[in-house]
Amino acid sequence: VDEEKWTQVRAAGDLPPSRCTHTCVALGENVVMFAGLSERKQLRELNVYSAKNNTWNRPVLKGRVPSERECHAAIASNSRQMLVFGGYNGEQLLQDLHAYDFAKNMWSNLTFKGMEVPARAFFSASLIGDHLVMFGGIDDTRKNFNDIYGFCFK
């Protein structure tokens, strides 16, 4: 890819279907894409793009794979783990938290202590140290949030 110039990358492998409202995070030399909306259907599949090999693949996942969703948020918590929170499954907003371990190809459902975060979609999330920090979004009445929550995952 040339500097300061967009280039369309033509990857090989098991190409994912077109979609929107999904998430992507960088884990090492890979881009991990999760869920989203395709053909008016929420997805729960995970696809991996290898920048090194310029290929897509869809690994066979282990563990408790999160339900179908779109409009969720995801962050890379280190070079091998992605955290996914919330979103919309086509019927209701979600407030669950999941971790995907890239090295083990394993999903797990994370439980949290303390206050419950209201279900939400269309929000942003970032990593600050050992914390997943979320801001805003909408509730099931389409009311905008202006709140911020932090989750320590260590």
Side-chain angles (χ1 to χ4, degrees), residues 35-100:
L37 183 70
S38 181
E39 304 293 326
R40 297 187 182 144
K41 180 181 174 195
Q42 285 77 23
L43 303 173
R44 69 187 291 194
E45 69 181 40
L46 183 136
N47 305 87
V48 178
Y49 171 72
S50 167
K52 182 178 179 181
N53 299 322
N54 192 32
T55 57
W56 281 100
N57 73 70
R58 185 175 174 192
V60 176
L61 302 171
K62 296 182 267 183
R64 295 183 61 194
V65 180
S67 64
E68 293 83 358
R69 67 191 61 220
E70 62 171 318
C71 310
H72 55 288
I75 62 155
S77 62
N78 55 44
S79 63
R80 63 175 243 278
Q81 186 180 56
M82 173 177 66
L83 298 178
V84 172
F85 181 84
Y88 176 67
N89 69 4
E91 296 178 10
Q92 64 185 8
L93 295 179
L94 305 169
Q95 60 188 143
D96 51 351
L97 179 61
H98 302 271
Y100 173 70

Side-chain angles (χ1 to χ4, degrees):
V1 176
D2 294 330
E3 289 184 31
E4 298 181 13
K5 179 181 176 185
W6 285 106
T7 304
Q8 183 175 4
V9 178
R10 301 206 185 277
D14 187 6
L15 300 175
S18 61
R19 69 186 69 198
C20 61
T21 60
H22 57 285
T23 53
C24 289
V25 301
L27 296 179
E29 294 183 358
N30 301 287
V31 175
V32 178
M33 179 172 62
F34 178 65
L37 183 70
S38 181
E39 304 293 326
R40 297 187 182 144
K41 180 181 174 195
Q42 285 77 23
L43 303 173
R44 69 187 291 194
E45 69 181 40
L46 183 136
N47 305 87
V48 178
Y49 171 72
S50 167
K52 182 178 179 181
N53 299 322
N54 192 32
T55 57
W56 281 100
N57 73 70
R58 185 175 174 192
V60 176
L61 302 171
K62 296 182 267 183
R64 295 183 61 194
V65 180
S67 64
E68 293 83 358
R69 67 191 61 220
E70 62 171 318
C71 310
H72 55 288
I75 62 155
S77 62
N78 55 44
S79 63
R80 63 175 243 278
Q81 186 180 56
M82 173 177 66
L83 298 178
V84 172
F85 181 84
Y88 176 67
N89 69 4
E91 296 178 10
Q92 64 185 8
L93 295 179
L94 305 169
Q95 60 188 143
D96 51 351
L97 179 61
H98 302 271
Y100 173 70
D101 186 308
F102 185 74
K104 296 176 182 175
N105 192 34
M106 175 81 71
W107 279 103
S108 57
N109 188 19
L110 300 179
T111 56
F112 39 91
K113 301 171 188 167
M115 70 182 341
E116 192 172 273
V117 177
R120 64 189 60 217
F122 295 110
F123 59 99
S124 60
S126 297
L127 175 68
I128 300 176
D130 295 336
H131 292 80
L132 163 65
V133 178
M134 301 183 304
F135 177 79
I138 62 169
D139 68 11
D140 56 0
T141 67
R142 305 252 186 228
K143 176 183 166 233
N144 288 335
F145 289 114
N146 68 340
D147 55 2
I148 189 166
Y149 287 90
F151 176 80
C152 183
F153 53 85
K154 282 270 177 165

